[in-house]
Amino acid sequence: LKPSASSLKELILSYNYIYEVYNKENVLLSLLDVLDLSHNKLPWLGPDMMAARQAKTVDLSANQIVLIDKTVRFDGRTASINLSGNKVQCQSLEEFLPHNPAARNVSPDKNRDPKGCVPKPRNTICCDALSAPFADRLIEQKRKQSSLLNLPTDPMSKANCSTVDEDRQRMISSMGSAIISVANEVQRLQKDKIRLTSERLALNQTVTAQREQSESVREALLAAAQSLNLSLDHEASPVVLQKIIDQYEYLSKQEELERNKATEDWNKYSTEIENWLKEKARLEPLIEKYDADISKANTTLVDLTRQKAVLTEQLRNKAMGG
């Protein structure tokens, strides 16, 4: 495990007939979160177990642990140590718990102690009151029983091996199902990756098209600004657009003012024309009358002129005859 010491996060070794743990190179699994050595044949916990002292969860349940070395102390970050389903000597357990309080509380759903056992006060797992001299002998016996080189011969040991084998097969089946599930999930993720890659390419194309369109719009905005005598070459497009809008609004207001003034002048001229037309309508009859009077006066003048000429002729004739 040395090559993975600085990266390994979960170490699952349950149902593997492990009866001894070695750490000759003093490896420290510094990032380990989960250590599962449950359902093995460990008869005791020694200093080599300290390779996993920083693990957050340690499952040592359903082994054959009798003694725990006094040097075994997990770090404060360890939140759970499951020693249920073993026959730890009570004195050894009592010496272990003060330095490893995470082993005091084992949840009921993970407690593998046999039914009927009664844990000591403040503990949730059972222990064996076997005295230390007998414990040493028991450890040696457990090692021999657990060794893969020694096949069990008595019926109880055979039954125990059969039970362990069945549990191991169930564990393998469960792991197989988990692997299939993970493989299916990997396939799904690969499909999602392909889909997301395609979407990313499409998005990149869209972004490129929008960028080109944005550049085209900016050129049009700058051209419009130039036509309005606005120097905005170094301004951002939204600023250019806003200033063009402001300029058009200003010009529109000026045009509206001029249009209103022209409308006002037109209304004024229209009123004057209307008054002139009314005056014309009023004067036309008078003009016609004056024209008639003038015509009559002209006729009278002609008659008087003719009469004057006649009288003048008569007077001249009379003067010549007298």
Side-chain angles (χ1 to χ4, degrees):
L1 297 176
K2 185 176 181 180
S4 304
S6 60
S7 60
L8 188 64
K9 291 189 175 182
E10 292 189 8
L11 182 58
I12 311 298
L13 294 172
S14 56
Y15 296 98
N16 275 291
Y17 292 98
I18 297 173
Y19 60 90
E20 191 70 85
V21 174
Y22 295 101
N23 186 19
K24 294 181 179 180
E25 298 184 10
N26 293 322
V27 173
L28 175 61
L29 305 176
S30 57
L31 295 180
L32 189 65
D33 289 332
V34 177
L35 172 64
D36 187 352
L37 282 170
S38 63
H39 298 278
N40 282 293
K41 302 295 182 180
L42 294 174
W44 81 304
L45 296 183
D48 293 330
M49 186 61 66
M50 290 296 87
R53 64 176 177 270
Q54 294 184 354
K56 294 180 180 179
T57 301
V58 179
D59 191 351
L60 297 168
S61 62
N63 275 274
Q64 297 179 3
I65 300 172
V66 176
L67 286 179
I68 304 175
D69 192 277
K70 294 180 180 181
T71 61
V72 177
R73 297 185 182 183
F74 290 91
D75 286 357
R77 70 193 294 261
T78 303
S80 173
I81 303 173
N82 190 349
L83 285 169
S84 64
N86 290 284
K87 290 187 177 182
V88 183
Q89 187 212 20
C90 291
Q91 181 181 351
S92 182
L93 182 62
E94 291 298 328
E95 292 175 352
F96 175 77
L97 290 176
H99 304 290
N100 299 275
R104 288 190 182 276
N105 299 315
V106 177
S107 59
D109 60 317
K110 295 182 180 179
N111 194 320
R112 296 185 174 89
D113 280 334
K115 293 182 179 180
C117 77
V118 179
K120 287 191 173 185
R122 297 188 303 166
N123 295 341
T124 55
I125 60 174
C126 298
C127 63
D128 196 328
L130 188 66
S131 60
F134 294 98
D136 292 338
R137 186 178 63 184
L138 184 57
I139 290 175
E140 186 62 28
Q141 290 176 352
K142 294 296 183 182
R143 284 180 174 174
K144 290 181 180 180
Q145 291 176 3
S146 302
S147 175
L148 294 177
L149 299 178
N150 297 322
L151 298 177
T153 56
D154 60 286
M156 184 176 296
S157 297
K158 287 183 178 180
N160 183 44
C161 285
S162 298
T163 301
V164 173
D165 285 340
E166 291 174 359
D167 291 342
R168 180 182 176 86
Q169 290 301 321
R170 282 195 294 270
M171 184 68 175
I172 291 173
S173 298
S174 176
M175 292 178 66
S177 299
I179 290 172
I180 292 174
S181 177
V182 170
N184 292 335
E185 181 67 13
V186 169
Q187 290 181 353
R188 185 187 68 79
L189 291 175
Q190 288 177 343
K191 291 180 180 179
D192 288 345
K193 180 180 178 181
I194 294 173
R195 177 179 58 80
L196 291 174
T197 301
S198 177
E199 291 179 357
R200 185 182 66 180
L201 292 175
L203 183 60
N204 288 337
Q205 293 176 354
T206 302
V207 169
T208 301
Q210 289 182 349
R211 185 179 291 112
E212 293 175 353
Q213 185 177 4
S214 176
E215 292 176 355
S216 176
V217 169
R218 178 172 177 79
E219 291 177 358
L221 288 174
L222 292 176
Q226 187 175 4
S227 67
L228 294 172
N229 297 322
L230 297 175
S231 180
L232 303 172
D233 293 344
H234 301 292
E235 299 287 350
S237 295
V239 176
V240 175
L241 177 60
Q242 186 60 49
K243 290 190 176 182
I244 289 175
I245 292 174
D246 293 342
Q247 184 67 10
Y248 273 121
E249 288 180 350
Y250 171 76
L251 295 176
S252 177
K253 289 180 181 178
Q254 294 298 318
E255 184 179 352
E256 184 178 0
L257 291 174
E258 293 178 359
R259 186 168 56 251
N260 291 338
K261 186 176 183 304
T263 301
E264 184 180 351
D265 292 342
W266 171 254
N267 291 334
K268 180 179 178 181
Y269 295 149
S270 297
T271 302
E272 292 180 357
I273 290 172
E274 185 177 354
N275 292 334
W276 292 341
L277 291 175
K278 289 181 179 179
E279 184 66 15
K280 178 183 177 183
R282 186 183 68 82
L283 293 175
E284 280 181 349
L286 295 176
I287 292 172
E288 290 179 358
K289 181 181 178 183
Y290 293 154
D291 288 342
D293 291 342
I294 291 171
S295 177
K296 184 178 179 181
N298 287 333
T299 302
T300 302
L301 179 61
V302 171
D303 290 342
L304 290 174
T305 302
R306 187 182 303 112
Q307 290 177 7
K308 178 182 178 182
V310 171
L311 290 174
T312 301
E313 183 65 26
Q314 289 176 355
L315 289 174
R316 187 172 56 245
N317 292 331
K318 185 177 180 180
M320 290 178 62

